[in-house]
């Protein structure tokens, strides 16, 4: 298996976190946990199907996946190769005219939003490409052609920073107070640009913070409190929705 990250060209860095070249030799089924990026995928060989989550079934060779609120399960064919584009939290809004909350929890064919004729040209070029650099150059050229000149919503960007700095524990009421805006217009602007409500985005940040920074000497109750939960059952329920496992099961499997 190969999973290599590549930094985008300078013109795309405000919008793209990184590209990933993913190649898997054997047919396999695997789980993907929710993240904070809208993702585009271009398969240059092989095929992929979704076996758990919205839009189950074989996926288009060029597709887009919105933010998710629970884990997904995918099954790849043998000898699959894919270029993945991971957008920044506000990056995808500069390439698509639709409010991004419309693709929340969805995995859709990219030709719903981009003319099929353009997708076919990219797929032909990708099938002929022999190197990673060439494949990434093809995708960068496509993205630059789709980039829409629009101002970044600084209020939404500030909201994202506040949520991340609090590890997702900042209450939405307090968030709106800090930004000097009422909750309803904040939520409307946020979900349109980011792809989920501030509350849902915060929950993704919160659980990922627990997963990525486990504290070995903390009990389950302490871990829940540290993550902003005042009800252990609520913490376990959210964690299981997010990962498909209880915290004990999840961390035990990671330590094996």
């Amino acid at each position: 298996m190969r999973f290599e990250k590549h930094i985008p060209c300078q013109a795309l860095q405000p919008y793209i976190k990184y590209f990933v070249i993913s190649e898997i030799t054997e047919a396999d089924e695997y789980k993907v946990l929710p993240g904070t990026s809208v993702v585009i995928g271009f398969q240059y060989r092989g095929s992929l199907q979704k076996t758990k989550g919205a839009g189950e079934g074989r996926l288009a060779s060029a597709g887009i996946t919105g933010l998710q609120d629970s884990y997904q399960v995918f099954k790849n064919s043998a000898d699959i190769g894919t270029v993945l584009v991971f957008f920044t939290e506000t990056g995808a809004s500069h390439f698509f005219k639709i409010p991004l909350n419309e693709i929340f929890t969805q995995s859709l064919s990219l030709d719903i939003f981009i003319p099929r004729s353009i997708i076919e040209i990219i797929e032909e070029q990708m099938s002929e490409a022999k190197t990673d650099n060439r494949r990434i150059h093809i995708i960068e050229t496509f993205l630059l052609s789709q980039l829409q000149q629009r101002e970044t919503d600084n209020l939404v960007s500030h909201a994202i920073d506040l949520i991340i700095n609090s590890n997702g524990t900042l209450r939405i009421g307090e968030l709106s107070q800090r930004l000097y805006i009422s909750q309803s217009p904040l939520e409307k602007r946020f979900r349109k640009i980011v792809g989920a409500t501030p509350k849902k985005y915060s929950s993704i940040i919160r659980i990922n913070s627990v997963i990525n920074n486990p504290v070995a000497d903390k009990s389950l109750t302490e871990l829940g409190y540290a993550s902003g939960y005042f009800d252990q059952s609520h913490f376990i329920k959210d964690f299981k929705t997010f990962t498909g496992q209880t915290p004990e099961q999840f961390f035990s499997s990671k330590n094996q």
Side-chain angles (χ1 to χ4, degrees):
M1 178 178 179
R2 188 161 71 97
F3 189 89
E4 296 180 359
K5 293 183 179 180
H6 296 258
I7 301 301
C9 65
Q10 188 171 1
L12 289 173
Q13 287 180 16
Y15 317 104
I16 310 294
K17 290 181 180 178
Y18 47 80
F19 299 105
V20 167
I21 301 290
S22 173
E23 294 187 343
I24 307 174
T25 304
E26 304 291 335
D28 196 14
E29 187 170 77
Y30 57 93
K31 181 190 297 183
V32 175
L33 303 184
T36 59
S37 294
V38 172
V39 179
I40 289 178
F42 294 89
Q43 293 158 27
Y44 51 89
R45 63 172 181 261
S47 62
L48 185 67
Q49 60 178 310
K50 194 173 184 181
T51 61
K52 192 274 178 187
E56 291 182 14
R58 181 166 176 168
L59 299 180
S61 55
I64 181 170
T65 296
L67 267 61
Q68 307 290 314
D69 60 355
S70 64
Y71 72 98
Q72 304 170 87
V73 180
F74 296 93
K75 186 175 183 179
N76 63 270
S77 68
D79 195 27
I80 188 173
T82 311
V83 177
L84 298 168
V85 182
F86 287 80
F87 289 95
T88 63
E89 278 83 350
T90 61
S93 66
H94 292 267
F95 297 87
F96 300 96
K97 295 180 180 179
I98 62 162
L100 289 177
N101 57 286
E102 291 187 5
I103 62 170
F104 179 63
T105 74
Q106 301 295 309
S107 293
L108 304 170
S109 177
L110 194 58
D111 62 14
I112 294 174
F113 311 103
I114 305 295
R116 183 62 202 168
S117 57
I118 294 177
I119 301 298
E120 288 175 348
I121 291 171
I122 296 170
E123 290 179 332
E124 182 178 355
Q125 292 174 337
M126 292 282 281
S127 66
E128 295 173 353
K130 303 300 182 183
T131 66
D132 292 346
N133 286 340
R134 175 58 183 158
R135 294 182 184 106
I136 290 173
H137 176 72
I138 292 167
I139 303 306
E140 286 184 328
T141 301
F142 159 69
L143 290 170
L144 288 169
S145 73
Q146 298 298 311
L147 180 59
Q148 301 167 20
Q149 298 301 321
R150 60 178 62 166
E151 291 186 7
T152 298
D153 190 322
N154 291 325
L155 182 137
V156 171
S157 295
H158 191 191
I160 291 168
D161 289 340
L162 289 171
I163 292 169
I164 291 174
N165 290 338
S166 74
N167 288 327
T169 62
L170 185 63
R171 302 298 176 183
I172 305 307
E174 184 179 350
L175 176 65
S176 62
Q177 289 177 1
R178 290 197 188 185
L179 296 171
Y180 303 102
I181 185 173
S182 60
Q183 190 167 325
S184 180
L186 170 61
E187 290 186 347
K188 183 177 180 180
R189 287 165 65 172
F190 194 98
R191 67 175 183 261
K192 176 181 178 181
I193 292 171
V194 177
T197 65
K199 183 176 181 180
K200 187 63 69 175
Y201 176 82
S202 295
S203 70
I204 296 170
I205 292 290
R206 181 164 48 173
I207 297 295
N208 270 314
S209 178
V210 174
I211 289 171
N212 296 326
N213 303 286
V215 181
D217 60 349
K218 282 191 175 181
S219 68
L220 184 59
T221 300
E222 291 172 328
L223 190 60
Y225 285 152
S227 306
Y229 288 92
F230 299 102
D231 183 334
Q232 183 176 337
S233 63
H234 186 196
F235 170 56
I236 295 172
K237 180 181 177 181
D238 278 6
F239 195 97
K240 191 169 183 180
T241 297
F242 195 93
T243 66
Q245 298 173 294
T246 65
E248 294 105 326
Q249 292 169 336
F250 182 86
F251 289 116
S252 294
S253 65
K254 286 189 71 174
N255 293 330
Q256 291 176 355

